[in-house]
Amino acid sequence: QAQLVQSGGGSVQAGGSLRLSCVTSALPYRDASMGWFRQAPGKEREGVIIIHESGQTAYADSVKGRFTISRDRANDILYLQMNSLEPEDTAVYYCAAGYPTRMTMKPGEFGYWGQGTQVTVSS
């Protein structure tokens, strides 16, 4: 059974940094597209950064230049490095994996999800 287990997150002041990790196991196929999503209270879940299985990467405009995604394929770990955090980044963050045929940031295209982790940025 596929599992995505997240760690990291927490509370930080504006301008600070946090790193999230996501360890994956037992995905049905190795070359999955993976990414990070977030959901703020009262808002829909949105894509933050996606790495497609082809290697293509997509970023939400709001995080460009501040957030970075990386992938340790040897250990099946996905990372999200978040710098210059802003109060608007406050949300529950989720890692996800899936097999969309082309690049997408739509949550519905990803079938495997981590448990979510809270990130709170205070001003």
Side-chain angles (χ1 to χ4, degrees):
Q1 183 175 355
Q3 283 193 317
L4 283 70
V5 180
Q6 297 177 222
S7 60
S11 298
V12 66
Q13 289 190 327
S17 298
L18 287 172
R19 189 175 81 158
L20 306 183
S21 301
C22 175
V23 179
T24 66
S25 61
L27 289 174
Y29 304 101
R30 185 162 181 82
D31 292 326
S33 295
M34 299 198 65
W36 292 94
F37 294 77
R38 67 185 181 186
Q39 188 165 16
K43 294 188 177 181
E44 294 186 352
R45 192 169 299 188
E46 62 175 358
V48 177
I49 307 179
I50 307 297
I51 294 182
H52 189 258
E53 61 182 88
S54 64
Q56 184 182 2
T57 306
Y59 293 76
D61 288 342
S62 60
V63 306
K64 285 180 180 178
R66 301 188 299 120
F67 290 13
T68 304
I69 194 171
S70 60
R71 190 171 183 176
D72 178 352
R73 285 186 175 272
N75 295 296
D76 293 327
I77 305 174
L78 186 72
Y79 297 101
L80 178 65
Q81 178 66 43
M82 303 181 289
N83 299 327
S84 302
L85 281 160
E86 302 169 353
E88 293 74 22
D89 296 317
T90 296
V92 177
Y93 284 71
Y94 299 88
C95 66
Y99 302 92
T101 55
R102 58 182 179 178
M103 170 60 77
T104 179
M105 298 189 80
K106 295 180 180 180
E109 297 292 326
F110 292 79
Y112 304 92
W113 291 86
Q115 79 274 20
T117 186
Q118 178 70 45
V119 170
T120 302
V121 184
S122 58
S123 57

